């Protein structure tokens, strides 16, 4: 058995030399994608299609996996499940076509589209008329409609072989991966960034993944999962990198030094600076983000321009003009939404009064006190993991039993509570305890100061939503500091 892979129309309109190059590249990508299956699967490229052949002994599980992988390879427009047999004459062709197509045309308008290559004693038109008559005789409740058929009965004859297309499966379209260069996508684990990365992959861009860690190991595990899923489904033919930058110290410096209304834009500018440097080190010429206009305060056109100023490389935004519903719908199509739905929403840098139209002089003033040595240290501490080893590395170890059962305390218990909110948050909404004592250690200092606290008692972390406190507690448990838990205030 074999499949015919029809090329994306965008490939077929290219010049002869470009088309040939793209087809060869696509064939190599198909081979690389199917190679891990460990079976003898043949791939051969032609002028306007590719052939993928399987052994007739291939089992159902292998066939299902091959079809699934073929449908997710950029550059393939359609997958045709084909059977090729010898024939003797038109009547022999008609007998085979009738047995295959009669159930599909019953009660429906149809037409026959025939192609012929080689020397025969009949023309393509002769074949269409003969097969049409045979089908009508076999399915009298069907009727021919040449202009608007429900069913198009496709038949192809190549020399003395009859090619029967049994099924048509949709492909991904786009361009063969790797032909349009490389980019580095900033991944947050939400809905937007995986969709943006997928759109670049579909356009033939070899896409690496960059993660700014703002919430500790638990946050990174979630992003690693969705990133590996995206690569394995849509760019398995290429090896790329997952780059993790420890950005919690940068967040802490922003919270200490940057005015409230500028925090969001400054954070994005710091990410753009770091991403630009890391991409240039890897000789990657462009960055990709999931920014969409006006979705959050830092994504107004004015603020996006200020973020662009901080990068030495172009920043591409594939979902810039999409509304959230469209992005979520596409995330469901590519099966990344399920990761976003369980990803904790990190909110360590949220301005109470964000500036949606910041000026350059305001940004310059806001960044004047920032210690850029903190950003340099974060970039220097970057970890690079090859994507195919992403789930094997220490950064993706499963949560420890202690991490799964972080102890909790509730309002009224005589315990030590650590308020890990930023000073501005604490001032705006002070925490009042019915019992126990409260320490104030902002989350961006907690990992450094926690080992200094006596280990003969337990400490329970508090934040407004409970997300940051859980992330920090899990991070501490991973480090062996298991005397930390989560504090639940009233109403939570």
């Amino acid at each position: 058995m074999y499949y015919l892979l029809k090329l994306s129309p965008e490939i077929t309109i290219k010049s002869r030399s470009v088309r040939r190059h793209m087809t060869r590249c696509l064939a190599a990508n198909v081979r690389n994608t199917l190679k891990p299956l460990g079976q003898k699967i043949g791939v051969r490229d032609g002028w306007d299609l590719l052939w993928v052949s399987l052994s007739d002994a291939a089992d159902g599980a292998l066939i299902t996996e091959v079809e699934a992988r073929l449908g997710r390879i950029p550059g393939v427009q359609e997958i045709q499940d084909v059977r090729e047999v010898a024939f003797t004459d038109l009547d022999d062709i008609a007998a085979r076509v009738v047995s295959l197509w009669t159930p599909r045309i019953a009660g429906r308008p149809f037409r026959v589209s025939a192609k012929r290559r080689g020397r025969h004693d009949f023309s393509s038109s002769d074949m269409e008329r003969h097969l049409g008559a045979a089908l009508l005789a076999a399915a009298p409740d069907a009727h021919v409609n040449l202009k608007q058929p429900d069913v198009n009965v496709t038949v192809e004859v190549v020399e003395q072989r009859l090619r029967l297309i049994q099924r048509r499966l949709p492909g991904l379209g786009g361009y063969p991966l790797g032909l349009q260069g490389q980019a580095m996508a900033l991944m947050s684990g939400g809905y937007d960034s995986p969709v943006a990365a997928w759109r670049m992959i579909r356009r033939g861009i070899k896409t690496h993944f960059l993660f700014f860690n703002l919430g500790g190991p638990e946050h990174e595990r979630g992003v690693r999962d969705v990133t590996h899923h995206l690569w394995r489904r849509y760019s398995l033919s290429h090896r790329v990198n997952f780059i993790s930058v420890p950005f919690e110290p940068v967040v802490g410096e922003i919270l200490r030094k940057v005015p409230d209304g500028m925090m969001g834009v400054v954070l994005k500018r710091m990410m753009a600076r770091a991403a630009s440097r890391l991409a240039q080190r890897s000789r990657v010429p462009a960055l990709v983000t999931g920014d969409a206009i006006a979705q959050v305060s830092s994504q107004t056109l004015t603020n996006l321009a200020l973020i662009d100023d901080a990068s030495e490389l172009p920043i591409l935004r594939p979902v810039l003009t999409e509304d959230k519903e469209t992005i979520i719908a596409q995330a469901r199509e590519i099966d990344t939404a399920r990761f976003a739905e369980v990803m904790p929403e990190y909110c360590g840098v949220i301005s109470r009064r964000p500036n949606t139209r910041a000026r350059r002089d305001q940004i310059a003033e806001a960044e004047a006190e920032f210690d850029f040595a903190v950003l340099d240290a974060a970039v220097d501490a970057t970890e690079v993991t090859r994507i195919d080893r992403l789930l094997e590395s220490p950064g993706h170890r499963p949560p420890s039993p202690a991490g799964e059962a972080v102890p909790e305390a509730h309002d009224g218990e005589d315990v030590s509570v650590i308020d890990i909110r930023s000073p501005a948050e604490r001032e705006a909404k002070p925490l009042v305890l019915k019992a126990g004592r409260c320490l104030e250690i902002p989350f961006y200092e907690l990992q450094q100061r926690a080992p200094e606290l006596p280990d003969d008692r337990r400490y329970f972390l508090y934040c407004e939503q409970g997300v940051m406190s859980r992330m920090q507690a899990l991070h501490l448990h991973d480090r062996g500091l298991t005397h930390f838990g989560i504090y639940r205030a009233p109403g939570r």
Side-chain angles (χ1 to χ4, degrees):
M1 62 177 297
Y2 70 95
Y3 300 92
L4 295 181
L5 309 186
K6 304 297 289 186
L7 307 181
S8 165
E10 293 183 284
I11 299 175
T12 61
I13 62 174
K14 303 299 182 186
S15 66
R16 186 176 186 88
S17 60
V18 172
R19 177 173 175 172
R20 186 62 182 158
H21 176 60
M22 286 187 171
T23 304
R24 288 174 175 169
C25 178
L26 180 57
N29 291 350
V30 172
R31 292 188 189 98
N32 289 339
T33 301
L34 299 180
K35 185 177 180 180
L37 296 177
Q39 302 288 334
K40 290 186 177 180
I41 302 175
V43 180
R44 182 164 54 95
D45 61 288
W47 171 241
D48 59 351
L49 48 77
L50 274 67
W51 288 265
V52 175
S53 57
L54 276 69
S55 166
D56 290 336
D59 60 27
L62 176 62
I63 292 171
T64 299
E65 182 62 20
V66 167
E67 291 178 357
R69 294 193 179 198
L70 293 177
R72 298 193 293 258
I73 297 176
V76 175
Q77 187 68 19
E78 185 181 73
I79 302 100
Q80 298 178 352
D81 178 10
V82 175
R83 293 294 182 272
E84 196 171 278
V85 295
F87 70 94
T88 54
D89 54 23
L90 272 178
D91 289 334
D92 189 13
I93 295 174
R96 296 179 182 275
V97 170
V98 165
S99 65
L100 177 63
W101 284 96
T102 297
R104 305 183 193 183
I105 66 169
R108 305 172 69 185
F110 74 96
R111 65 167 292 173
V112 178
S113 298
K115 292 183 179 180
R116 183 183 60 85
R117 191 165 47 194
R119 291 180 172 272
H120 306 94
D121 57 3
F122 54 84
S123 66
S124 297
S125 297
D126 293 336
M127 185 162 51
E128 289 175 346
R129 287 191 292 269
H130 191 85
L131 298 180
L135 287 167
L136 283 173
D141 56 343
H143 63 277
V144 174
N145 187 327
L146 299 180
K147 293 185 177 180
Q148 293 182 315
D150 282 355
V151 182
N152 188 22
V153 179
T154 54
V155 181
E156 189 171 348
V157 169
V158 181
E159 300 300 339
Q160 295 307 121
R161 305 285 294 179
L162 172 63
R163 187 176 291 168
L164 297 171
I165 301 174
Q166 301 196 117
R167 291 179 299 143
R168 296 175 183 269
L169 307 173
L172 194 61
Y175 286 113
L177 190 61
L179 275 182
Q180 306 303 319
Q182 302 183 75
M184 189 171 287
L186 279 62
M187 299 289 290
S188 68
Y191 292 102
D192 306 337
S193 55
V195 170
W198 174 81
R199 289 190 178 191
M200 298 302 293
I201 291 169
R202 184 180 178 276
R203 300 305 294 172
I205 307 293
K206 181 181 177 181
T207 303
H208 302 271
F209 304 95
L210 176 60
F211 168 59
F212 289 100
N213 193 337
L214 308 178
E218 195 73 9
H219 188 195
E220 181 163 339
R221 287 184 192 119
V223 176
R224 282 174 176 250
D225 284 339
V226 67
T227 300
H228 187 269
H229 166 84
L230 193 63
W231 165 74
R232 185 169 179 78
R233 280 178 71 96
Y234 299 105
S235 58
L236 187 60
S237 59
H238 286 67
R239 294 289 182 265
V240 295
N241 291 325
F242 177 87
I243 302 139
S244 177
V245 187
F247 232 55
E248 288 176 302
V250 176
V251 171
E253 184 70 5
I254 290 173
L255 289 169
R256 283 189 292 265
K257 303 288 183 62
V258 175
D260 176 72
M262 301 292 174
M263 287 181 179
V265 176
V266 170
L267 175 62
K268 292 293 186 69
R269 282 170 58 86
M270 295 302 168
M271 289 180 174
R273 287 188 176 98
S276 178
R277 288 161 58 180
L278 291 167
Q280 287 176 313
R281 284 184 189 178
S282 302
R283 298 183 180 180
V284 174
L287 304 175
V288 179
T289 74
D291 294 330
I293 291 176
Q295 196 170 113
V296 295
S297 61
S298 64
Q299 295 176 10
T300 63
L301 283 180
T302 301
N303 288 347
L304 289 175
L306 293 172
I307 294 167
D308 286 350
D309 285 345
S311 173
E312 296 180 18
L313 298 178
I315 301 178
L316 309 179
R317 298 180 171 94
V319 298
L320 185 66
T321 62
E322 301 289 3
D323 56 54
K324 193 68 174 183
E325 290 77 9
T326 300
I327 294 171
I328 292 175
Q330 191 152 71
R332 297 195 192 288
E333 290 174 11
I334 64 176
D335 197 28
T336 58
R338 59 189 173 94
F339 296 93
E341 288 163 358
V342 297
M343 189 73 64
E345 190 72 27
Y346 178 84
C347 52
V349 179
I350 290 183
S351 300
R352 286 174 292 169
R353 296 177 298 275
N355 192 328
T356 59
R357 295 187 178 183
R359 301 192 309 269
R360 280 181 172 80
D361 61 308
Q362 292 176 315
I363 290 296
E365 183 179 350
E367 294 181 351
E369 298 298 319
F370 186 91
D371 183 1
F372 281 89
V374 176
L375 181 66
D376 295 339
V379 173
D380 291 341
T382 293
E383 292 185 0
V384 180
T385 306
R386 214 174 75 178
I387 193 74
D388 57 317
R389 297 175 179 169
L390 191 58
L391 303 188
E392 305 169 3
S393 63
H396 193 267
R397 63 191 183 282
S400 63
E404 289 290 349
V406 177
E408 295 186 6
H410 294 267
D411 186 47
E413 297 184 40
D414 185 11
V415 295
S416 293
V417 177
I418 302 178
D419 190 338
I420 66 171
R421 297 175 296 168
S422 67
E425 288 179 287
R426 292 199 302 265
E427 181 182 349
K429 194 174 181 180
L431 174 63
V432 178
L433 300 179
K434 292 180 180 179
R437 63 192 183 104
C438 184
L439 305 176
E440 295 179 349
I441 305 176
F443 70 91
Y444 48 83
E445 295 179 359
L446 182 65
Q447 297 300 320
Q448 179 181 357
R449 294 174 56 181
E452 302 171 0
L453 297 174
D455 59 4
D456 58 352
R457 67 177 298 150
R458 287 190 169 184
Y459 299 88
F460 295 86
L461 311 182
Y462 171 78
C463 69
E464 184 69 24
Q465 300 298 326
V467 175
M468 178 55 65
S469 58
R470 177 168 177 79
M471 281 186 172
Q472 292 292 329
L474 288 168
H475 195 173
L476 292 169
H477 277 240
D478 284 341
R479 295 173 58 190
L481 302 174
T482 57
H483 54 295
F484 289 86
I486 303 168
Y487 181 73
R488 302 291 187 185
R492 289 223 351 247

